[in-house]
Amino acid sequence: MAKVAHAASVLEWDTPLYQQARTQLEHALELAEVPDFVSARLRHPERALILMLPVRMDDGTYRSFPAYRVQHSSVLGPTKGGIRYDEAVDLGECAALAMWMTWKCALLRLPYGGAKGGVRCNARGLSTAELARITRRLTAELAPFIGPELDIPAPDMATNEQTMAWMMDTYSMQKGYAVPEIVTGKPVSIGGSLFRHEATGAGVVMVIARACERLGWVLAAQSCAVQGFGNVGGIAASELRDEGARVVAVSDISGGVYSPEGLDVPTLHAYVAEHGSLEGYTKDVERITNEELLELECDVLVLAAREDQVTAENAGKLRCRLVAEGANGPTSVEADRILAERGIPVLPDILTNAGGVTVSYFEWVQDLGRLFWDRDEIRRRLADQLSDAFDRVWSVAQERGVSLRDAALVAAIHEVAAALESRGIYP
Ligand code: NAD
């Protein structure tokens, strides 16, 4: 085992975020008690692809963009995971996120393993036409490695329904017929699922609501701060408000807004739709920084922006009573320890933001069956699946006296381990 652990430290994806995923895994493996060959197999991705995408820019020049796709585990089925466009995308980030996707899918008992990919670029600085050419070139280069039975991409940071439509069209053009099941998170007009757009943010709030029940709190009586006002955070803020909770602060990359009486969330959405971000919004609010938002006094802090936001530096300064991880990997390993010492429970990412991949699974099932469900049915199925996963995590945490993150990881690892033990290592 020591040899295997040593080998990890020299592999190409071994970046700080990957180490965070590995540290969490190693800790959970101590609790999970699975055979050594299972642990060894799960420590690393099965496959990683590095690409340089040549793209013609609007001014006629050509630029090359690094791109990645990492597939962590195909034991339970095709791999599944988002595509992000961000300047920080690298192999280690994709490997860490792919590993988290494996745990998330397994925890929700979806027949998938984890994958993740992305293009290193500043999406905000690119035109729609440039983004389309990047996406189409990426899809063409990925074509031999993705497929409805092999690896199914989805949106993530700075990618959206339009990005998925370009991917679906490019893949379909190469096949010669429409293949809607190649991606999820598509527009409904080409086989997307109702409620997919809202699924991650709505799922975050379903998990928070379930946690409140267990903690003996009334969600409608809680004050909430939400970091990130995109697909996950924006929807979570709306759903919290719909549940009657007071959303006292939200933020995006441009900074945050705060009102102790509660923000007018629909007006904020309308502002962002018109102006692109919260920048410049001042009506009846106090402007705050992202750092200040994290340290606000509130009941529930929703982290829905990006990884590595609560760290050893600020974990001691949080003044919330519950942290909900809408983003992937927003809490560092040291911060987890500090929050545990301070008695602040963390609803872990692989459970809390799993609504997105769960409805992506529903979308894929609907596409394969060419039979589409209505919104109420999807919302009900999502609530059932998240409640079931939440209850299993809560039980493991209670029985073993471990954190919710460790409990979620142990429950997920057991799902993958059972499949790997049944299948064995080929040949
Ligand atoms: P998005 O691009 O729609 O929104 C991201 C939001 O965070 C934007 O408001 C952006 O301005 C803000 N942001 C970015 N950097 C920030 C910073 N440093 N400080 C404060 N705000 C910042 O992306 P998204 O789809 O909402 O994803 C957010 C997180 O949720 C990511 O970690 C992603 O991996 C995770 N996630 C997304 C989904 C999904 O279905 N979209 C599913 C599961 C997990």
Side-chain angles (χ1 to χ4, degrees), residues 402-413:
V402 297
S403 70
L404 293 168
R405 184 180 323 279
D406 283 341
L409 284 169
V410 168
I413 290 166

Side-chain angles (χ1 to χ4, degrees), residues 84 104 116 156-158 196 200 227-232 252-253 290 304-306 326-328 353:
R84 59 170 56 178
K104 194 181 301 184
K116 204 78 176 194
D156 194 76
M157 279 165 59
R196 173 60 187 88
T200 309
Q227 188 201 34
F229 201 63
N231 179 251
V232 182
D252 66 12
I253 189 116
N290 266 291
R306 59 181 311 142
N328 289 309
N353 68 32

Side-chain angles (χ1 to χ4, degrees), residues 111-327:
Y112 291 140
K116 204 78 176 194
V119 178
R120 192 183 303 164
C121 64
N122 172 15
R124 278 154 59 99
L126 296 165
S127 72
T128 303
E130 288 166 341
L131 287 169
R133 287 196 290 273
I134 289 175
T135 305
R136 288 183 178 282
R137 181 71 194 212
L138 170 71
T139 311
E141 303 250 6
L142 284 180
F145 303 94
I146 59 174
E149 312 295 334
L150 185 60
D151 182 11
I152 306 144
D156 194 76
M157 279 165 59
T159 57
N160 54 28
E161 292 182 357
Q162 178 60 72
T163 322
M164 294 304 110
W166 291 325
M167 291 193 83
M168 179 272 187
D169 182 66
T170 304
Y171 189 85
S172 298
M173 283 296 113
Q174 301 204 347
K175 289 285 170 191
Y177 49 88
V179 189
E181 58 273 26
I182 179 62
V183 288
T184 59
K186 307 175 286 293
V188 172
S189 59
I190 53 169
S193 178
L194 296 174
F195 204 61
R196 173 60 187 88
H197 178 72
E198 301 92 321
T200 309
V204 168
V205 178
M206 289 174 187
V207 172
I208 293 171
R210 198 83 178 162
C212 284
E213 278 174 30
R214 294 301 184 110
L215 293 164
W217 303 358
V218 177
L219 176 53
Q222 309 306 314
S223 60
C224 310
V226 183
Q227 188 201 34
F229 201 63
N231 179 251
V232 182
I235 303 282
S238 296
E239 293 273 328
L240 284 167
R241 177 183 167 276
D242 292 350
E243 292 290 328
R246 197 157 35 97
V247 179
V248 294
V250 300
S251 68
D252 66 12
I253 189 116
S254 72
V257 293
Y258 171 62
S259 165
E261 290 79 39
L263 295 165
D264 180 354
V265 178
T267 303
L268 290 170
H269 275 297
Y271 184 89
V272 171
E274 196 184 336
H275 298 90
S277 78
L278 292 167
E279 192 166 7
Y281 188 93
T282 50
K283 190 170 173 290
D284 300 332
V285 299
E286 186 186 322
R287 293 291 313 186
I288 53 171
T289 65
N290 266 291
E291 292 71 38
E292 287 166 339
L293 178 136
L294 297 176
E295 296 168 19
L296 281 178
E297 190 167 349
C298 63
D299 297 307
V300 183
L301 174 63
V302 181
L303 303 173
R306 59 181 311 142
E307 62 285 335
D308 212 23
Q309 295 302 299
V310 179
T311 61
E313 278 76 60
N314 62 1
K317 298 185 202 156
L318 264 51
R319 289 188 292 158
C320 59
R321 297 198 294 155
L322 177 70
V323 173
E325 293 187 328

Side-chain angles (χ1 to χ4, degrees), residues 390-405:
F390 180 92
D391 291 348
R392 281 184 279 119
V393 171
W394 192 269
S395 301
V396 174
Q398 298 293 307
E399 282 159 20
R400 312 273 306 248
V402 297
S403 70
L404 293 168
R405 184 180 323 279

Side-chain angles (χ1 to χ4, degrees), residues 68-122:
Y68 308 87
R69 184 73 179 168
V70 178
Q71 298 164 350
H72 175 257
S73 170
S74 59
V75 180
L76 285 163
T79 51
K80 183 96 191 75
I83 299 273
R84 59 170 56 178
Y85 290 175
D86 189 79
E87 281 170 310
V89 168
D90 63 21
L91 188 63
E93 180 178 274
C94 292
L97 291 161
M99 183 186 280
W100 282 322
M101 280 303 292
T102 296
W103 313 141
K104 194 181 301 184
C105 294
L107 179 62
L108 270 290
R109 295 191 166 149
L110 310 178
Y112 291 140
K116 204 78 176 194
V119 178
R120 192 183 303 164
C121 64
N122 172 15

